[in-house]
Amino acid sequence: MQWVRAVMAHLGVTATELARRAKIAPSTLQRPLNDPDWPNMLSGRTMAAIAEIAGLQPLEFPNRVRGMAEQEAMQYVPGDGADAADNFDRAVRELCQGRNGRDSWVMKGYSLELSGVLPGDVMIVDMNLQPQPEDIVCAQIFDWSGTRAETVFRIYDPPYLVGNSLRSGREKPITVDNSSVVIKGVVATIMRKRTTN
């Protein structure tokens, strides 16, 4: 079941959501995931359905660097702020413009949900701040074999980066080595758009 847990973490989904996407009964996954003494294996058909929605082969573990289509966060570009309803974008621009080394990012994943950062939240990253323990930081993880980099947001627990999420399960800490894992900046502000009912 380690493979199923890795796929769930890779996609950022619960077992129920994974089962829904794979078009299988939720109990097909929940029973073996919740029972450490489960005697059976998943059927080949079930594994094939899970692998297909994850873009993997059955029992192929997802790589840490996921590729551009599945970014955890992406740069946030505010609109032009032409109307009064656009106060949120105006505030983002004010926090970044004229301040060297500040960028805005929008969270796409759930890696920091227990720290209060949810998908859709906008984070102002200050690249001039020195990270302190327990800061939320923006980091890049480089895959030198494929010459790609993944931007992630994690909590800095020197010398590690750690997630804080119910959905991802227990995630292995990432060691900051300033070579393949580099902290780019500290999250100085987190903003959330007001939702109307």
Side-chain angles (χ1 to χ4, degrees), residues 173-196:
I174 304 166
T175 304
V176 177
D177 61 8
N178 294 317
S179 174
S180 60
V181 179
V182 178
I183 294 177
K184 303 302 284 182
V186 175
V187 174
T189 306
I190 300 169
M191 302 171 65
R192 182 172 297 156
K193 285 186 181 180
R194 181 178 176 190
T195 56
T196 55

Side-chain angles (χ1 to χ4, degrees), residues 72 107 109-118 123 136-137 153-155 162-165 187:
E72 175 178 294
M107 179 60 87
Y110 289 92
S111 62
L112 294 171
E113 66 179 323
L114 292 177
S115 295
V117 183
L118 300 175
M123 300 166 290
I136 295 175
V137 297
F153 286 82
R154 296 289 188 274
I155 295 171
V162 294
N164 197 11
S165 171
V187 174

